[in-house]
């Protein structure tokens, strides 16, 4: 009897121990699961905070608020005030391919700075097929420059839409930054100088120029890439369709190269000190030197230098080692550095002879001898 009672006691004790072990196991499993969820939530919040702007400082206007890890934080976006009308629980994530998502602008947003859109302080007004895109991409490497990514064509096509429309197409900037825009057709648009002066008589103007014969061939090459059945260059450049004719100045690629004609219009509205002439040839051969001149002209510290460039021997064009959007080496795109078609040497000589007096006048107006043949 005593033996059976002892066995019963042992069995009950063993059962109680097993129950205690099960309870402890369940508790620890729940605890570990909760910790794991907290870690994941913390990681998610950390990732979100690297893309959205979070600040605990007060703002003059009501800002969206969210609760993160038990704290109330405010969202300060680098966009228009329309964003602030989003629901309080909505975090506006910037697209990864926009410049506003760069580390620099995440930092600015975290500091509570409120960027806004301004009319341009400087314009790249031309000349087409001389290196304007390269100049824009190179100067955008500077942290104190913000530029519209595409050609806005305000002063030639959309002027009737007004300055408010134009301002809306500019990127947000903070105090101390320069707003820029590039549209090469401004240089040859008759009304553009007066319109730009009306916007701001202190606007700084950058003009990229290139040997007008090479520029005309490049212009033709681009057009032919879009229209395969185009006539030969020689047929279009001369009135009778051959090199024996007169140079056809009504043809766009030829007409644009008479730089002095268009520059005179700009000088009627702006003093020479507000125009910088950038050599398209030197921009390719030694981009760091030309960019030094550009930064000086814009009143910027020389940040963009030889460390930002490398030369692509296949394209025959300087490329970027890194930029604000990409940390890896890359070139400006497949449309840059196209191979030119072979042009009759007689046609080239005729064009050089045609441009020579206009080039000399351009040298006189700018005070620069570009050394074109």
């Amino acid at each position: 009897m005593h033996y059976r009672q002892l066995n019963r006691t042992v069995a009950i004790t063993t059962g109680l121990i097993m129950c205690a072990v099960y309870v402890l196991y369940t508790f620890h499993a729940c605890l570990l699961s909760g910790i794991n969820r907290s870690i994941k939530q913390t990681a998610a919040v950390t990732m979100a905070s690297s893309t959205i702007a979070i600040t605990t400082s007060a703002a003059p206007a009501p800002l969206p608020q969210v609760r993160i890890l038990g704290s109330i934080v405010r969202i300060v976006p680098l966009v228009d005030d329309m964003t602030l009308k989003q629901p309080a629980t909505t975090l506006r994530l910037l697209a990864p391919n926009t410049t506003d998502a760069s580390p620099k602008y995440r930092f600015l947003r975290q500091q509570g700075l409120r960027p806004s859109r301004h009319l341009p302080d400087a314009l790249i007004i031309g000349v087409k097929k001389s290196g304007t895109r390269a100049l824009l991409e190179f100067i955008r490497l500077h942290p104190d420059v913000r530029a519209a990514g595409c050609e806005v064509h305000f002063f030639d096509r959309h002027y009737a839409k007004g300055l408010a429309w134009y301002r809306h197409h500019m990127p947000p900037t903070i105090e101390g930054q320069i707003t820029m825009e590039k549209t090469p057709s401004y240089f040859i648009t008759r009304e553009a100088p007066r319109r730009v002066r009306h916007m701001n008589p202190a606007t700084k103007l950058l003009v990229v120029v290139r040997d007008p014969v090479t520029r005309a061939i490049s212009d033709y090459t681009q057009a032919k890439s879009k229209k395969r059945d185009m006539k030969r260059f020689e047929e279009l450049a001369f009135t009778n369709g051959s090199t024996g004719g007169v140079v056809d100045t009504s043809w766009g690629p030829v007409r644009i190269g008479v730089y002095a004609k268009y520059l005179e219009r700009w000088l009627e509205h702006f003093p020479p000190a507000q125009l910088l002439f950038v050599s398209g040839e030197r921009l390719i051969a030694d981009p760091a030197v030309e960019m030094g001149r550009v930064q000086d002209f814009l009143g910027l510290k020389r940040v963009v230098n030889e460390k930002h460039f490398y030369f692509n021997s296949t394209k025959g064009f300087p490329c970027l080692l890194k930029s604000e959007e990409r940390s890896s080496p890359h070139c400006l795109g497949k449309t840059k550095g196209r191979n030119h078609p072979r042009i009759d040497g007689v046609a080239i000589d005729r064009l050089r002879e045609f441009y020579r007096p206009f080039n000399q006048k351009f040298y006189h107006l700018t005070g620069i001898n570009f050394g074109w043949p």
Side-chain angles (χ1 to χ4, degrees):
M1 183 72 178
H2 177 73
Y3 178 77
R4 286 198 300 272
Q5 186 175 2
L6 180 62
N7 286 341
R8 188 181 304 112
T9 302
V10 170
I12 292 172
T13 302
T14 301
L16 291 174
I17 292 173
M18 292 180 65
C19 288
V21 170
Y22 176 78
V23 170
L24 287 173
Y25 171 80
T26 303
F27 173 78
H28 283 290
C30 292
L31 179 62
L32 290 174
S33 177
I35 293 174
N36 185 50
R37 284 196 303 271
S38 298
I39 292 174
K40 289 181 178 180
Q41 290 173 355
T42 303
V45 170
T46 302
M47 291 178 64
S49 66
S50 68
T51 310
I52 61 176
I54 299 178
T55 178
T56 56
S57 61
L63 296 172
Q65 297 181 356
V66 294
R67 180 179 294 276
I68 298 180
L69 298 180
S71 299
I72 297 297
V73 297
R74 298 177 184 273
I75 308 304
V76 182
L78 188 69
V79 291
D80 292 332
D81 290 341
M82 288 298 294
T83 306
L84 303 182
K85 298 180 181 179
Q86 296 293 332
T89 56
T90 300
L91 302 183
R92 186 179 186 277
L93 300 180
L94 294 171
N97 62 342
T98 61
T99 56
D100 288 347
S102 67
K104 175 181 63 180
Y105 279 86
R106 286 201 299 270
F107 172 79
L108 294 177
R109 291 195 298 276
Q110 289 166 359
Q111 303 309 304
L113 299 179
R114 301 292 301 277
S116 57
R117 300 179 192 274
H118 300 272
L119 292 170
D121 305 289
L123 293 171
I124 301 175
I125 60 175
V127 175
K128 179 184 179 184
K129 302 310 298 177
S130 294
T132 56
R133 170 55 63 176
L135 175 60
L136 178 70
E137 293 304 316
F138 294 169
I139 196 59
R140 288 176 73 187
L141 295 172
H142 201 292
D144 291 335
V145 172
R146 294 280 286 154
C150 61
E151 297 173 7
V152 182
H153 285 281
F154 174 67
F155 295 106
D156 57 349
R157 299 180 188 173
H158 305 295
Y159 191 68
K161 295 181 179 179
L163 290 173
W165 179 92
Y166 189 38
R167 182 186 293 109
H168 177 74
H169 284 75
M170 294 302 106
T173 58
I174 61 171
E175 184 179 356
Q177 289 185 314
I178 291 175
T179 301
M180 291 188 67
E181 192 249 321
K182 172 193 83 80
T183 300
S185 54
Y186 291 163
F187 185 67
I188 63 171
T189 300
R190 182 178 295 275
E191 301 83 4
R194 176 182 55 81
R195 291 171 174 177
V196 174
R197 181 174 177 79
H198 175 72
M199 176 190 74
N200 181 7
T203 303
K204 293 187 176 182
L205 308 169
L206 295 95
V207 185
V208 190
V209 289
R210 181 184 187 185
D211 173 9
V213 177
T214 307
R215 196 221 66 81
I217 297 172
S218 181
D219 200 344
Y220 167 79
T221 303
Q222 182 184 50
K224 187 172 177 58
S225 70
K226 301 174 182 178
K227 187 179 179 182
R228 298 292 182 181
D229 59 347
M230 277 189 71
K231 295 180 180 180
R232 295 173 61 245
F233 178 87
E234 296 86 342
E235 295 179 65
L236 297 169
F238 300 93
T239 54
N240 68 347
S242 70
T243 54
V246 177
V247 174
D248 188 355
T249 56
S250 67
W251 187 44
V254 169
R255 185 178 67 251
I256 292 174
V258 186
Y259 304 142
K261 169 186 175 182
Y262 304 106
L263 177 57
E264 286 179 324
R265 296 175 185 169
W266 287 92
L267 292 176
E268 291 175 2
H269 296 272
F270 291 92
Q274 282 179 231
L275 287 89
L276 179 72
F277 299 93
V278 178
S279 168
E281 287 86 4
R282 287 198 295 269
L283 193 61
I284 293 175
D286 197 344
V289 170
E290 283 301 282
M291 292 311 300
R293 293 180 61 240
V294 170
Q295 291 169 95
D296 291 346
F297 174 71
L298 295 175
L300 299 170
K301 181 180 178 180
R302 288 196 175 194
V303 173
V304 182
N305 53 43
E306 63 276 357
K307 296 179 181 179
H308 290 88
F309 305 100
Y310 73 96
F311 190 80
N312 186 311
S313 57
T314 302
K315 294 179 71 70
F317 204 84
C319 300
L320 302 175
L321 287 172
K322 60 181 180 178
S323 66
E324 188 175 63
E325 293 84 7
R326 297 170 61 179
S327 59
S328 59
H330 61 283
C331 293
L332 298 182
K334 63 181 181 180
T335 63
K336 304 303 176 184
R338 289 190 184 97
N339 292 324
H340 290 177
R342 183 186 178 281
I343 307 298
D344 186 343
V346 175
I348 292 178
D349 291 341
R350 291 286 302 276
L351 284 171
R352 293 205 188 285
E353 183 181 355
F354 165 77
Y355 281 121
R356 193 163 290 119
F358 298 109
N359 290 345
Q360 291 300 322
K361 186 174 183 179
F362 186 68
Y363 297 169
H364 175 72
L365 291 172
T366 62
I368 303 172
N369 186 335
F370 290 91
W372 298 321

